[in-house]
Amino acid sequence: MKLHYLVGGLLFGFGLAFSGMAKPEIVLSFLQLTDFGLLLVMGAAVLIVSTSYFLLPCLMRKPIVGAEFVKYTQPFDKRTVIGASIFGVGWGISGLCPGSALASLGMGNLPVFFGIAGLFLGAYIQGRIFGDYSTSSK
Amino acid sequence: MTLFPIGIFQYALGGALIGIAISLMYAFGGQLVGQSTFFSSSLSYVSRAKYFQQEKWKLQRNWRFLIGIGTILGAVIFVMTMGEWFTTRVQWWRLFLGGLFVGFGARFSRGCTSGHGICGLSSFSLPSLIAVAVFMSVAIIVALSMKSLGVSP
């Protein structure tokens, strides 16, 4: 069992709930430009993750459990822009994103089952119709 | 007008906790992980479609499932220790339709708010920066349009 993933998930969900991002209303208040808190959440997280991303490989030869520190790489192509646009439409309609939807369920938000069903269906359609099974990673 | 009508404390500390969570998993596993891949990798438990039966999903679906379950339970712990149970006023059709677009778009563009938004920006990935700029702009336009059409909240 890779228990660090469970602990990481617990902290992640706690942080999402604490930050308010598990409430679609608060995400929508950012997207409607009345409360810019979401940028602070992202900024604080990025500050910490970028520090560990660049510092940990210098301090430790390899990760505690994993084989090596992996570079985070993203290709750039039309899928980046088209996918992000479609993501933006959904985010603007609902105030939901993948992590916040899961945390929202944990806060007892039962209607978010509709959102989670949508997330699975969207991921299914993507994989079924546009899924590329010739590439190895991601 | 203020930028932060309910203060900055919950945002800054909540964001820091999310950052610590991703850093912890990086220190142990050596990989920056976002949330959206969970939805594809978990489909490999139930779908026989060729895409979902690839070896890569079988290799990562268990630990990604742990993160997903952890994310739900972490929010439960928050409510039980210092928060309150919550039910959204956002209509069910918006949750479903929004989820559908978000699920498709995140997997199509290979990242979501945590993947592109936190992991990508933290590692200075230009494609992720572009993705964040695009999805944030589009989402703001859509949210403001819906608000002006009288859809609330």
Side-chain angles (χ1 to χ4, degrees):
Chain A
M1 278 287 265
K2 295 174 171 177
L3 269 183
H4 53 279
Y5 287 117
L6 183 62
V7 177
L10 287 171
L11 252 180
F12 207 129
F14 190 93
L16 277 167
F18 189 95
S19 70
M21 295 301 121
K23 298 180 176 175
E25 281 85 343
I26 294 193
V27 175
L28 287 170
S29 74
F30 164 68
L31 297 174
Q32 295 167 351
L33 307 179
T34 56
D35 183 335
F36 289 80
L38 185 141
L39 294 179
L40 286 181
V41 176
M42 227 175 201
V46 166
L47 201 66
I48 288 174
V49 176
S50 59
T51 306
S52 28
Y53 179 73
F54 291 105
L55 208 59
L56 286 182
C58 304
L59 298 176
M60 310 155 62
R61 269 197 0 268
K62 62 190 211 61
I64 299 166
V65 178
E68 55 173 347
F69 286 108
V70 185
K71 285 263 163 271
Y72 187 89
T73 53
Q74 281 280 357
F76 181 76
D77 54 27
K78 60 180 188 227
R79 285 178 58 150
T80 310
V81 176
I82 296 170
S85 307
I86 296 171
F87 181 96
V89 171
W91 202 30
I93 291 175
S94 63
L96 284 183
C97 57
S100 78
L102 295 174
S104 202
L105 183 63
M107 292 189 76
N109 183 15
L110 295 182
V112 87
F113 268 120
F114 287 107
I116 291 176
L119 283 161
F120 273 117
L121 185 60
Y124 180 76
I125 294 171
Q126 190 278 326
R128 194 67 203 263
I129 300 177
F130 300 96
D132 180 358
Y133 32 85
S134 60
T135 53
S136 54
S137 69
K138 283 221 169 250
Chain B
M1 186 198 159
T2 164
L3 294 180
F4 307 106
I6 59 172
I8 66 165
F9 177 73
Q10 71 174 84
Y11 297 130
L13 192 59
L17 289 172
I18 296 168
I20 292 169
I22 297 175
S23 300
L24 179 93
M25 293 188 277
Y26 181 65
F28 275 85
Q31 194 184 344
L32 292 183
V33 288
Q35 292 271 4
S36 74
T37 313
F38 159 83
F39 289 90
S40 291
S41 65
S42 295
L43 281 167
S44 77
Y45 288 116
V46 292
S47 167
R48 288 191 186 164
K50 205 168 156 192
Y51 174 78
F52 294 109
Q53 284 307 312
Q54 295 175 90
E55 200 56 31
K56 66 168 180 178
W57 296 133
K58 292 176 186 168
L59 289 172
Q60 48 182 294
R61 63 186 183 187
N62 288 344
W63 62 261
R64 287 200 185 270
F65 194 76
L66 275 185
I67 298 175
I69 293 298
T71 303
I72 298 173
L73 293 180
V76 173
I77 294 172
F78 168 77
V79 169
M80 304 218 303
T81 52
M82 53 194 306
E84 285 172 10
W85 298 107
F86 165 78
T87 303
T88 187
R89 287 179 299 117
V90 175
Q91 301 83 344
W92 71 270
W93 62 269
R94 287 170 69 188
L95 298 172
F96 179 74
L97 202 62
L100 185 66
F101 277 78
V102 165
F104 182 93
R107 298 309 308 136
F108 198 71
S109 72
R110 299 168 289 250
C112 59
T113 351
S114 56
H116 284 307
I118 299 176
C119 302
L121 295 188
S122 297
S123 52
F124 303 127
S125 156
L126 187 60
S128 287
L129 178 64
I130 295 169
V132 172
V134 169
F135 70 57
M136 215 171 253
S137 315
V138 171
I140 288 170
I141 292 167
V142 170
L144 287 176
S145 309
M146 301 226 347
K147 190 184 183 186
S148 71
L149 289 171
V151 181
S152 167

